[in-house]
Structures are given as C-alpha cells and as structure tokens.
Amino acid sequence: MMSLIVFTVLALLLLVATLLPLSRNPHWLVRGMDFPRLQLAVLAAILLAAEVVLLDLSHPLGLISLGVTSFCLFWQIWWILPYTPFWPVEVKAAIDDNPERALSIITANVLTPNRNADALLALVQKCKPDVLVTLESDQWWQDRLDVLAEQMPHSIKCPLDNLYGMHVYSRLPLSEVTVDYLVEEDVPSMHALLTLRDGSNVRMHFLHPAPPSPTENPESAERDAELVVVARSVASSDQPVIVTGDLNDVAWSATTRLFRKLSGLLDPRVGRGMYNTFHADYRIARWPLDHLFHSDHFTVRSIERMPHIGSDHFALLTRLVYAPVRGADQNGLEADGDDRGWADEVADAKDVEASDTPRPGKEFSIYWVNSISKCKKY
C-alpha cells in the first residue's frame, strides 16, 4: 500500500508541473514550467515504466497513478514533438547555391563575466558568418570584438554592464539602424535594414528581453510584451523579415507560439531538432532559448549549435537562402480570436503598442521622428 501512495503522490506532482503552464499567470514559477518539457517527459517515462513493473494495477490507486503518468508523458511529448525529426519540416531545405542570396547568422549570448573572447572570434573566423549578434556583451567584449571591423565593417553597438548589452557585426550593409527600449528602460533591442549581396533588403530585429525569474523580473509580463509588439509590427509587412536573439523563452512555450502566430514568421527548427542552447554546462538541463525566426521569403540551408565558448549559452549558426518563390507556400502557425485577445492583454499590461517597434524599410521614415537611436548607459 505504501508503494501505491508514493507512486500516486509522484504522479500527482508530475501532473501539477504539467498543468501549470496551461495557466496564463505570468509568475516566473508558472512560466518556468514551460522550459523542462523534455526533462519532464523523461521523468514521466521512467515513472510509467516503474509503475508497470512494480504497481498492483488491480488497485484503483494503481490505475489512477498509471493513467495520470501516461497523460503527463503524452502531453509533454505533444509540445516537444515538433522539434524532432519525427515532425514535418516547417521551412523547406534550400536548393539554391547562389551566394548572392545566402545569409548566415551567428547568434551568441556571450555571458558578460565570460572572458573567452578568443573562442568566439575563432568561431567567426572558421564559419565566416555574414552577421554576428552578441548578447550580454559589455565594453570589454566590444573592445575585443572590434577586431572584426575590417572583415565585418557594419555594426551596431550597445555595450552595457547590466547583462543586456548587445552588438551586431555584419559583412553586409546595415541601414536605418536604431537601438530602442521597447518595454524596459534598461533592456535594449536593435532594428535595421540589411542589404543582401543581390541588393534585396531584409528587415532585421535583434532581441534580448529579460527573463521571468526570482532574481530579475518576477513575472514574464515584460518579456511577453516585447515579443507581442514585435510580432504585431512585422505581421503586416511584405518585406523579408528576420527576428533573432536570446528570447529567454523556449521554442515550444505558449508565449513563443503566440509570437509565431501573431507575426506569421517561421521556425526553421521545426521538424529538424531542438538545438538546445542553454545551459551549456549542464547536459540534463538544456533547452532552446536562442532563436531565429524568419518570413517565408527564406529557405534553410543548415542550423548548427556551435561548440562551447565559455558562456552558459551555446552560439547558434543559421544559414538561410533568400528564395521567395520556393518559400511562398511555407506555412507556420495562425492566430485565432483567443490568441489576439491574449495578445491585447499582454500589450495593455505594459502599455505598449506595435507602433513602438521600428519598421526599417518603407515605413521607417515615419517612425524615425520619434526614434530613440542612442545606447543608454547604466
């Protein structure tokens, strides 16, 4: 009888962890349960196997425990399955070898106290990305990364000491650049128009919203609001669009799915893999926090998680090809009325609007009048 009680309690605890994310409560503990879905699925599988072997399934408690654990296992798998090769890809594989239409981006949260800049610079020299995006980069990091200026002469710089510094180094021209503070006054985002080698322009948004955590924001409201306003700002754009950065949210969470639904952007990882980028030092506690989403103008050549650079994040290398004809029938997630209502609540809670987000390109001149273009110091 004791084993029945123990297994039932474990199954119920697993059920609580499984059901918590269904709530839209922004508290960090609730939102944090979005992250370890893979780990919870593994725990559920282990518990289920133990129940089958050890429990008296003729007892009602045994059946309840088995049923609850089975539900938890299949529910967690449902969320993470799209990020495995068992799911159809959302973005087509690139077939165009024209380098004029290629775009490669390394997205790297360097971890401010990390002083292994040589490792990141070695990655850049090896992979030769068109764009390097760094998060948590302060003045020390800027001083080291500026050696890239000769090969990557176009840049956006915002060195900060508060873990939200950000830099962009690019081989390709950047224009209509702004550094903005969309939701929080000390958390910047960057926005620019990038010109490909064939002359096509791509609207770029580089983000690093603050995470919900007991040491930073106790709720996810700020992060969610930034994702919502950026998503809404690109939704009606007919330009090629890329959004990348450390979003401090996992790929399968309800809030990241809301971002994809509102924006219409695609996730090239769907059907290919999770590409877990955090935590670099703990194999059993990893999930995908660093992202790149794009419009259907692109197909994907490759996605690769980079080797350890001393940070708590792995860098992510994404190689895309601008192929609007081939990508025209690619479809992502679609928003419904409930999604739009939820987005209204998120934006209203922080008093932000889609018009607060810069729109590099044909609408940019209108926005520029009120743009905050300088990097604030904290």
Side-chain angles (χ1 to χ4, degrees), residues 40-258:
L40 290 174
V42 171
L43 289 176
I46 294 171
L47 182 59
L48 185 64
E51 289 170 342
V52 169
V53 172
L54 300 176
L55 282 186
D56 177 7
L57 298 182
S58 65
H59 194 286
L61 271 183
L63 290 176
I64 290 173
S65 179
L66 189 71
V68 168
T69 305
S70 299
F71 166 79
C72 293
L73 174 61
F74 288 107
W75 183 253
Q76 300 294 359
I77 289 175
W78 183 87
W79 284 92
I80 62 178
L81 191 60
Y83 294 91
T84 71
F86 301 106
W87 198 264
V89 297
E90 186 168 281
V91 179
K92 294 178 181 178
I95 59 174
D96 188 351
D97 291 327
N98 185 353
E100 300 295 302
R101 290 174 167 256
L103 176 61
S104 57
I105 301 174
I106 286 183
T107 305
N109 183 320
V110 299
L111 183 65
T112 302
N114 173 29
R115 292 300 182 241
N116 192 9
D118 288 343
L120 179 58
L121 291 170
L123 282 182
V124 172
Q125 295 303 321
K126 177 182 178 181
C127 301
K128 297 186 174 6
D130 297 311
V131 179
L132 170 66
V133 186
T134 64
L135 301 316
E136 291 199 28
S137 40
D138 57 7
Q139 186 63 51
W140 184 94
W141 274 94
Q142 178 175 308
D143 293 341
R144 273 72 187 171
L145 295 175
D146 277 348
V147 301
L148 297 171
E150 183 174 348
Q151 56 186 296
M152 307 180 85
H154 310 281
S155 60
I156 316 172
K157 302 176 183 179
C158 188
L160 297 175
D161 297 326
N162 63 351
L163 303 181
Y164 293 100
M166 184 182 298
H167 291 77
V168 175
Y169 294 85
S170 175
R171 300 177 194 274
L172 303 174
L174 298 172
S175 59
E176 302 182 8
V177 170
T178 60
V179 177
D180 295 83
Y181 299 79
L182 300 177
V183 178
E184 298 184 81
E185 65 176 13
D186 57 348
V187 179
S189 59
M190 292 177 171
H191 314 267
L193 200 67
L194 178 144
T195 302
L196 298 177
R197 294 174 181 87
D198 72 346
S200 302
N201 290 322
V202 181
R203 180 174 161 184
M204 306 290 295
H205 299 274
F206 308 100
L207 308 179
H208 185 204
S213 76
T215 58
E216 295 195 54
N217 293 336
E219 296 186 346
S220 67
E222 293 81 4
R223 179 200 67 188
D224 299 346
E226 184 163 332
L227 296 182
V228 163
V229 297
V230 172
R232 284 179 160 177
S233 77
V234 306
S236 59
S237 175
D238 57 2
Q239 295 174 283
V241 176
I242 291 176
V243 176
T244 187
D246 173 5
L247 303 190
N248 277 311
D249 199 9
V250 286
W252 46 71
S253 76
T255 43
T256 295
R257 286 171 60 85
L258 179 65

